[in-house]
Amino acid sequence: MKETRSRGRFAPSPTGPLHFGSLVAAVGSFLDARRSGGEWLLRMEDLDRPRCRDGAANDILRTLEAFGFEWDGEVIWQGRRGTAYSNALERLRAAGRVFGCACTRRELADSALAPDGASVYPGTCRLGLPPGRGRRADRLRVGQALIAFDDAVQGRLVQNLAEEAGDFVLLRADGLFAYQLAVVVDDGEQGITRVVRGADLLDSTPRQILLQQLLNLPTPTYAHLPVAIDAAGEKLSKQSCAEPLDPARPISSLLAALCFLGQEPPAELAEASLGDFWRWATAHWELARVPRRRLLPAPE
Ligand SMILES: [Zn+2]
């Protein structure tokens, strides 16, 4: 049997320029792929059109090039893949796993919250739409699903999906396919074997694994990289970590990302060329050094 080459990916959302947090995910996934001689694919997660900004995707691609990233194959654009998501949704529907939901956000406001802040669906429409109400969204019938997986950085995670996520949305009330469905379909079709991304997506992984199982797709291995948090445990998103990167000074940002990921680059790498930087980083990358959490001092 032919051995499958490992394949990783970076999947930014073009909601703004590449910032430090997304650079960390790019560096981690790129080095993880290259260290094992695998491929690294690029996917633009431009599904949520209202949140995307004009020109941001091209800006991200130019910045990645300026930082010396090289990706394999064509860039995949989620915004052009509606047919693939629709086909997956219909397969789940044919298997009896999809139901229409009439609930508004306001009606769900009292529900318990999932770890990612979404409401845990109380099951209102699971056995059929309430009389006189129309379908707004499609949800997955989760059933009794206990999902466990071993994350290469964060360790073992076990989630009871019925209690911690509930029947989650596949097709949103605004007509857009849900992120969870799109990611699973794309990872499956692109043959991704290793998902290396920020730990802010750790809690959605069990939902994605359930969808992989229901769609007969293989489950990749996962490594969730630390996100920067301040002393109060708040994610640093709008402060220093969200500032756009300077494409004219790639090495200092790349070194900062490498240090953030627990690697120990020598000081002289600050004077290196991009080619030398990537040669050193690829040869010395060790996933085992990546910390589970990263505490940063609050910005002034
Ligand atoms: Zn409902």
Side-chain angles (χ1 to χ4, degrees):
M1 211 169 91
K2 187 164 150 275
E3 194 169 325
T4 325
R5 210 172 160 196
S6 87
R7 193 179 269 179
R9 45 62 158 198
F10 175 55
S13 299
T15 53
L18 201 70
H19 53 73
F20 184 74
S22 39
L23 179 69
V24 165
V27 167
S29 59
F30 182 72
L31 290 174
D32 179 78
R34 288 293 190 253
R35 182 85 170 102
S36 60
E39 293 179 315
W40 187 68
L41 278 59
L42 205 53
R43 177 162 80 226
M44 212 42 86
E45 299 203 330
D46 58 342
L47 199 60
D48 196 344
R49 292 238 175 82
R51 286 184 60 234
C52 293
R53 291 227 319 258
D54 282 347
N58 283 327
D59 188 65
I60 289 172
L61 295 176
R62 277 199 308 273
T63 304
L64 288 172
E65 280 170 353
F67 277 62
F69 290 96
E70 291 170 0
W71 52 89
D72 296 286
E74 298 287 316
V75 178
I76 296 277
W77 299 77
Q78 284 192 329
R80 301 172 191 170
R81 290 184 36 76
T83 307
Y85 308 144
S86 175
N87 289 343
L89 180 65
E90 292 318 312
R91 279 178 60 196
L92 294 168
R93 199 189 307 279
R97 298 300 293 238
V98 179
F99 64 92
C101 171
C103 303
T104 61
R105 202 177 282 265
R106 180 182 297 248
E107 287 169 323
L108 298 174
D110 293 336
S111 311
L113 288 184
D116 65 354
S119 51
V120 175
Y121 186 64
T124 318
C125 313
R126 195 180 291 141
L127 299 176
L129 293 173
R133 298 286 302 273
R135 161 174 157 262
R136 290 169 49 84
D138 277 334
R139 288 181 182 272
L140 181 79
R141 203 182 297 280
V142 164
Q144 290 304 317
L146 194 68
I147 303 284
F149 71 102
D150 292 300
D151 188 272
V153 175
Q154 306 294 332
R156 189 165 184 78
L157 193 86
V158 183
Q159 206 177 72
N160 181 330
L161 275 179
E163 287 174 10
E164 296 177 59
D167 295 333
F168 56 92
V169 170
L170 299 173
L171 183 65
R172 300 171 7 172
D174 58 9
L176 295 175
F177 290 99
Y179 166 77
Q180 312 291 359
L181 179 67
V183 160
V184 165
V185 171
D186 291 341
D187 281 341
E189 203 163 300
Q190 290 188 288
I192 301 300
T193 63
R194 297 174 68 81
V195 172
V196 179
R197 60 185 179 188
D200 47 337
L201 289 164
L202 184 64
D203 289 325
S204 4
T205 305
R207 273 169 281 177
Q208 293 171 21
I209 292 176
L210 176 63
L211 284 173
Q212 287 154 4
Q213 293 172 351
L214 295 175
L215 291 166
N216 288 321
L217 295 168
T219 291
T221 59
Y222 287 96
H224 283 86
L225 306 173
V227 290
I229 52 172
D230 65 18
E234 295 292 323
K235 189 183 161 198
L236 293 183
S237 52
K238 289 281 169 262
Q239 293 108 334
S240 56
C241 286
E243 278 175 21
L245 301 166
D246 181 1
R249 298 175 59 244
I251 294 289
S252 61
S253 299
L254 287 169
L255 274 175
L258 213 50
C259 293
F260 184 89
L261 289 169
Q263 312 299 302
E264 291 166 5
E268 55 267 29
L269 214 55
E271 310 298 327
S273 66
L274 269 177
D276 286 341
F277 171 86
W278 284 117
R279 266 185 291 281
W280 186 92
T282 305
H284 294 87
W285 170 255
E286 279 187 51
L287 192 59
R289 287 182 194 259
V290 177
R292 290 183 58 206
R293 301 195 196 294
R294 210 66 167 125
L295 198 63
L296 288 191
E300 301 291 306

